[in-house]
Amino acid sequence: MSEAPQPRLRGSESRMRTDSLFRIACVATASISVLILVFLLGSILVQGVPWVSWTLLSAVDEPEAVNGGMRPAIFGTIWVCTLCAMLTLPIGVGTAILLEEFQPRSTAASWLYSIIQLNISNLAGVPSVVYGIIGLTVFVNMFNLFQVPDAPGQPAFETGIEYSYQFMTENLRSIQVPVRGAGAAMPELKSGMLAYDFEGKPVSINVIQPGEELPSDESVLDYTLFSDSEGGPIDSKAWYYFRLPLGRGVLACALTLMLVILPVIIISTQESLRAVPSSLRAGALGLGATPWQVIWNVTLPSAVPGIMTGSILAMSRAIGETAPILLISGIIVMNHAPQHLMDEFTVMPLQIYNWASNPSSEFHGLAAGGILILLLVLLSFNAVAVLIRHQLQRNLS
């Protein structure tokens, strides 16, 4: 006997047709996205590869595109992004652990935690230019709480800086006479006064009156000044220089970018912690471990791959940000790399924007070469994060 035909479900052909169309639409959308990405990267490679050279990496910005480079912008990006990662990762991961692993039992505290969680989720969608305005008010100016009334723009607190007046001796040597602080009047020159030569060595100056004959001894002439000599104020900042308010420096920009990517890191860390099986926590607690020992030895190591993935995405956003950095720095072209946390800076996106806005086609090629360098720096940061992720990853079995 032949088997009876199986009845087909009502509407099965329509559902299969819809499923096939949906798959085709997904494949077409993904293919178009990949093709657009390949086209953009291909055009950048064609324009930028001829301009990638040691000059682009080591030189500073010049009026001629052939001699232009982005060394200050590269070091500025490394300074800002490294400091931002060092500040953001501990705070973001710690906040996520507090919200996810130490949830309170009381109703009032649970309500407060819910409000905090809602605000973190909302902050992840705030435009970055808003964070730039916040950073300008909070970190750069600090609500004008540390301003000197008689000297606008002068910080109220400084450490790691020395102020002096620079003079040229009668033997054309540069010496610096220290003064008490910024805005101090030019010191009255006297013989035997302490000064420093161009190498930073302490010397004693010799002061003579106008019209008096110069000394014949070259060693004395090297540090001889007339009493009416004019000097200019200069300052010397150490690597540990710090001021309040922070001003338009590397630290203020790193703190502003921390606000930009902190919600992303918190949310991604929470999702990674939730993905850890509860059986691991229960087993560790059953063996007598404390809640903190469970988090430090079981939960956190298991969540490291997800945490590092979210951190990579967040740092990729920070490296490419332009609007908040433009508000904080205000400098597009710069001829020296940062020397300390309070130093002025520029970053690669600002430098690339400056070249791309130039009407000359040569600068457009230079901008394409800068984009390739920016992608290389981004891939380097990602490679380090991936390496750390693999080193810290543990086998859950």
Side-chain angles (χ1 to χ4, degrees):
M1 295 180 62
S2 60
E3 296 182 359
Q6 295 293 333
R8 304 191 65 177
L9 296 177
R10 181 179 299 177
S12 60
E13 293 183 358
S14 176
R15 290 197 299 269
M16 293 177 63
R17 190 181 304 111
T18 303
D19 182 69
S20 299
L21 291 176
F22 179 74
R23 290 183 180 180
I24 293 173
C26 291
V27 172
T29 303
S31 301
I32 292 173
S33 302
V34 172
L35 288 176
I36 293 175
L37 179 61
V38 170
F39 174 76
L40 293 176
L41 291 178
S43 62
I44 292 174
L45 286 172
V46 171
Q47 296 182 24
V49 168
W51 290 91
V52 176
S53 62
W54 179 249
T55 302
L56 180 62
L57 295 173
S58 60
V60 299
D61 191 21
E62 297 288 348
E64 297 181 359
V66 178
N67 301 324
M70 57 191 315
R71 177 176 57 84
I74 293 174
F75 280 99
T77 298
I78 294 175
W79 270 76
V80 170
C81 293
T82 302
L83 184 60
C84 178
M86 294 172 61
L87 293 172
T88 309
L89 289 178
I91 296 176
V93 174
T95 303
I97 292 175
L98 175 64
L99 295 175
E100 198 63 29
E101 301 293 332
F102 294 96
Q103 295 183 358
R105 297 180 179 180
S106 62
T107 305
S110 298
W111 178 81
L112 178 61
Y113 270 49
S114 300
I115 295 296
I116 295 174
Q117 184 68 57
L118 178 62
N119 282 283
I120 291 174
S121 301
N122 292 333
L123 288 174
V126 174
S128 59
V129 66
V130 177
Y131 288 108
I133 298 173
I134 295 174
L136 189 64
T137 304
V138 177
F139 301 125
V140 175
N141 298 320
M142 288 190 169
F143 304 103
N144 294 325
L145 296 177
F146 298 94
Q147 298 289 343
V148 180
D150 299 333
Q154 183 65 29
F157 171 78
E158 287 183 304
T159 183
I161 185 172
E162 295 180 355
Y163 292 97
S164 59
Y165 270 81
Q166 186 172 10
F167 297 87
M168 293 299 294
T169 67
E170 296 306 312
N171 207 17
L172 300 180
R173 287 181 174 268
S174 173
I175 61 172
Q176 301 173 7
V177 179
V179 293
R180 289 185 176 274
M186 187 175 66
E188 181 181 355
L189 299 178
K190 298 179 180 179
S191 295
M193 181 179 291
L194 177 65
Y196 296 91
D197 61 9
F198 65 96
E199 295 180 350
K201 298 179 180 179
V203 295
S204 179
I205 62 176
N206 177 43
V207 180
I208 60 177
Q209 299 300 319
E212 188 176 343
E213 293 186 2
L214 296 175
S216 57
D217 190 350
E218 288 289 334
S219 61
V220 178
L221 185 62
D222 287 341
Y223 307 108
T224 297
L225 295 171
F226 284 107
S227 59
D228 59 352
S229 297
E230 295 289 336
I234 62 171
D235 58 68
S236 176
K237 299 175 182 176
W239 64 269
Y240 54 88
Y241 171 67
F242 184 79
R243 53 168 283 177
L244 289 176
L246 299 179
R248 299 177 180 270
V250 174
L251 181 58
C253 183
L255 291 172
T256 303
L257 288 182
M258 179 190 71
L259 297 180
V260 175
I261 66 174
L262 189 58
V264 179
I265 291 182
I266 293 175
I267 294 173
S268 62
T269 302
Q270 285 184 280
E271 295 297 332
S272 301
L273 293 173
R274 291 170 190 165
V276 177
S278 59
S279 58
L280 293 178
R281 298 182 178 89
L285 291 173
L287 292 174
T290 63
W292 173 245
Q293 288 175 334
V294 173
I295 293 172
W296 184 255
N297 296 305
V298 178
T299 308
L300 193 58
S302 303
V304 162
I307 294 173
M308 295 308 300
T309 301
S311 302
I312 291 171
L313 297 175
M315 289 307 303
S316 300
R317 178 183 178 183
I319 292 176
E321 283 292 349
T322 304
I325 298 178
L326 184 60
L327 288 174
I328 298 299
S329 174
I331 300 176
I332 296 179
V333 178
M334 201 168 188
N335 292 327
H336 65 86
Q339 303 298 320
H340 48 79
L341 296 182
M342 304 289 116
D343 204 356
E344 296 178 338
F345 69 98
T346 188
V347 292
M348 298 175 69
L350 294 183
Q351 184 67 73
I352 293 170
Y353 168 77
N354 179 50
W355 287 337
S357 60
N358 194 296
S360 175
S361 60
E362 292 184 348
F363 281 98
H364 295 169
L366 197 61
I371 292 174
L372 295 179
I373 301 300
L374 178 60
L375 291 175
L376 181 62
V377 173
L378 175 61
L379 292 176
S380 300
F381 272 92
N382 291 349
V384 172
V386 170
L387 180 61
I388 295 175
R389 182 181 66 183
H390 283 292
Q391 290 292 331
L392 298 179
Q393 187 174 7
R394 294 183 179 181
N395 193 347
L396 295 182
S397 61

